[in-house]
Amino acid sequence: MMGDYTVVCDKSFKLLQSENRKVRKENLDKLLTVVHDENFEESPEFMQAVKTFVYPCLNDGSEACRESAVQLVRTLVCDGCVEEIAPIVFVIHKRMGNISMLESSEEVKLLYIQLLRDIIKNYEQLIFPCLDDIVSILTKSILDSCPAVKKNSCLCAAELASATNTRFHMVAELLVEPLLKATNYHQSAVRYTAIQSLNYVIMYSNGKQVPEVCSSISNRLFDQNVGVRLALCRVVSNWMLNLPDRYSYFPKLIPFILTAQVDDHLPNREEAERLWDEIGNQYINENEVQLKEKLDFLPDHLNHYPPNVKRPNLGCRTLVTREVLKLLPVIIRELDDWKEDISIKSGQLLCVVALNAENSVIQHLNQLLTAMTKCCRQPDHVASNHVRRAAEIMSYFISPSTYLKFLLSDIEPHVGHLIILSGLLKNVKSIELSTHVKSIITFLEKPEICEVYDPLFKKYLLQVIEYVLVACESECQEFSYELFKIYITVQSTTLDQFDDNFIFKKLINMCEPKTKEQLFKTHGERLLNELNDSCDSWVVHSPGREVLDKIALDAEYVILSCYEIYRQILTKTLYNLDKDPKFLMKMLININTCVDKDIFNDKQLWQILSGIIFPILTWRPGKTAESLRAASCLCAQIINKKFTCFDETMLNLSFPIFLALADDNHCKTRAYALDTLHCLICAAKSLNKLNADTINNVTRVALARLNDNPGNTRFKAINLIKATYTQPLPNDYMVHYEAHVAQLYKTLVIFLDDQDIQQSILDLLKDLSWMKPEVLIKHINVNVFSHKHFAQNLMDYLSDNLSQISLTNTE
């Protein structure tokens, strides 16, 4: 058999020199078939022929020939038949390693790299002389456009580093840059392989490239592929565990392993935490002498510690403490990065750093708190959630005396400061906070803090108070008024949540008896006095005005017991009618609310009406003044209805005002004035103080209102006339004012043809016919009416009445 193979091989070797590429290709395939045969045994003569005739085919002009030649050589290399690899490497370098790459076929380039991998795997001892050429090839092929070539080149670089570990440091630097570029390739498989290859290249380098590598691959922390992020985590942890002179590179490497612990993928986080724990334990073992005192005396577990969180070991904590001065400035800078994902990662990293560094973060606390509050200034930013979480972690390790001096002195009225302050107070120790309760409450009581309108600001302000109450309830007892004032100022516009709040319930528990009413009575007078001192400057959205509204709506007993103070507030706020009309309207609504609660006696009601409301009812030009008069007239109407008893003075002062208002341009003012006149007429009759002039004046304005546009004003006018002329009238009225009554009848009869009010006019005339039925009937001519049945109805009614009167007189 060997003889047959020898003949075939000799013939094929000679034909490899043919100028016909097909012949060369056929003979290369024949040789490949021969070497694949299990009975074939290579000989020195055969290998010499391969070197002479086959190796040149690696550089053949025909792609097919090159492909077959590479496959043949790969087979021989894998079988261990090759004694010299330099000629092979030389040809590959010629095709792929020069400045201008000759090889254009992606398939052949891939075969060349695979051949190199086979050589590295089977001939480690022969690689060193060819090391520079192989590296030169890889620096080009790693950057090749073909993904398969890139991937295999990266694997080849890793295998080369492992195979030549004693000398690889001399050429490692050349491979770093191409591999870093490959880590940014669009295919995740290539990025993954490039990162894995960097692991070996850096492990067997001199380490000088670590800073450059860390800066370049940091973007892979945000890689969309889970596997790439996990590969980076494992590579970095391997460097931290095994890289020579690794401690000098820890400032660059620690951020990677810490960031990996906040990966979005749970298995990645768990792997990173496991590796970080391993790194910390190794550091303890390697530095046991230096850490002996801490190992002997520092507790492994703290009583005051975040729940459901494993405390990092001493090695981890020591490593972060050593590097915290380098880590925090970077985090502070990147918290404000314009790229949202970087800002988010920085916030997440801050949580891990805070957990590992514990109280060591105080070295940069001022700048850190500034950056944290700035980040939380936009609470819808996702990073703000992580920054808030970091503040909650820090609260376990940093004393309030450390951070309060920054936050309470530099705080601005924006939500970011309060988010961080509430986070730091959430888990504070009572004993550490107790001495600061006064300074916190005094600060929160400032108008520029507790009077901020922003709902989110209010939310976190209340959260701060809640945490202070939870930690130091007994110390807060002394400041119950201040807390009450802050609470009612903040919550005065959120009425639905007022009574059900934790803070409010705690404030009630500080009173005796423990009731809401007692709480308001305890602090109400002092609060009203403070409102009285500041009410001169109120505008429509002033917190003080809203607090007064809350008291009026929900704690009227405070106003009842402090009426004089309340009246002073009304006098100060309503004396100037040039103020914002919306503000004046709000104050009038406040009066209406209190009046509706029936807390004032007649004297107090008259003081409010005459001293505060009447001046506003004075006529002033303009639409705004009209609307304000309407609101004031409504308020006056409500007050008049609440009087239990009138006197002559009240009636004499009131009638002229409301008679004038009944002619106002504003329809609502006229309607309210008519209602009030109705009330006054009834009161005057009950006191027997209704005189003819008043009757005539009321009749005049009421009749004028019958000409108003369709609306309820006309019906109110009808009711007012009815009330005015309902028995009894003054004794001599019918004697002296018969003509007046006749004119009244004459005017009313006209409106029997008004479709909107004709039924009401008919009923009114029937009710008023008792005065002079014989006069009324004279003014009715059925034939002149469009709707004759109404006039006829009235005629029939009057005829019946007059007949009954005649019968009565005859008897």
Side-chain angles (χ1 to χ4, degrees), residues 417-430:
H417 279 93
L418 287 182
I419 290 176
I420 298 304
L421 179 59
S422 65
L424 289 168
L425 292 174
K426 184 175 182 180
N427 305 296
V428 69
K429 289 182 180 178
S430 300

Side-chain angles (χ1 to χ4, degrees), residues 239-255:
W239 291 345
M240 295 183 74
L241 289 168
N242 302 305
L243 196 66
D245 197 24
R246 53 188 171 274
Y247 289 156
S248 60
Y249 307 125
F250 271 22
K252 293 289 185 180
L253 298 175
I254 286 176

Side-chain angles (χ1 to χ4, degrees), residues 502-519:
F502 171 85
I503 299 171
F504 192 64
K505 292 176 181 176
K506 285 290 184 183
L507 290 172
I508 289 174
N509 286 334
M510 293 179 183
C511 300
E512 196 60 48
K514 301 182 187 332
T515 63
K516 172 183 174 180
E517 183 173 347
Q518 183 59 41
L519 174 64

Side-chain angles (χ1 to χ4, degrees), residues 85-140:
I85 64 168
I88 303 173
V89 174
F90 175 78
V91 175
I92 299 174
H93 182 268
K94 183 177 181 181
R95 299 293 305 179
M96 294 183 64
N98 290 319
I99 295 175
S100 58
M101 185 182 292
L102 295 177
E103 187 55 60
S104 59
S105 169
E106 291 183 350
E107 290 79 6
V108 176
K109 285 189 283 189
L110 178 60
L111 287 171
Y112 282 148
I113 299 303
Q114 290 172 338
L115 175 56
L116 280 180
R117 294 183 64 189
D118 292 336
I119 290 172
I120 293 169
K121 181 178 179 181
N122 293 281
Y123 297 96
E124 290 184 10
Q125 68 281 6
L126 302 179
I127 294 174
F128 293 114
C130 307
L131 187 58
D132 289 341
D133 284 346
I134 295 175
V135 169
S136 178
I137 294 167
L138 293 177
T139 56
K140 305 294 189 302

Side-chain angles (χ1 to χ4, degrees), residues 267-285:
N268 282 21
R269 293 199 300 272
E270 292 174 342
E271 178 72 358
E273 290 167 0
R274 183 189 66 78
L275 291 169
W276 177 235
D277 189 64
E278 185 179 341
I279 292 166
N281 285 326
Q282 178 177 294
Y283 182 80
I284 293 173
N285 294 333

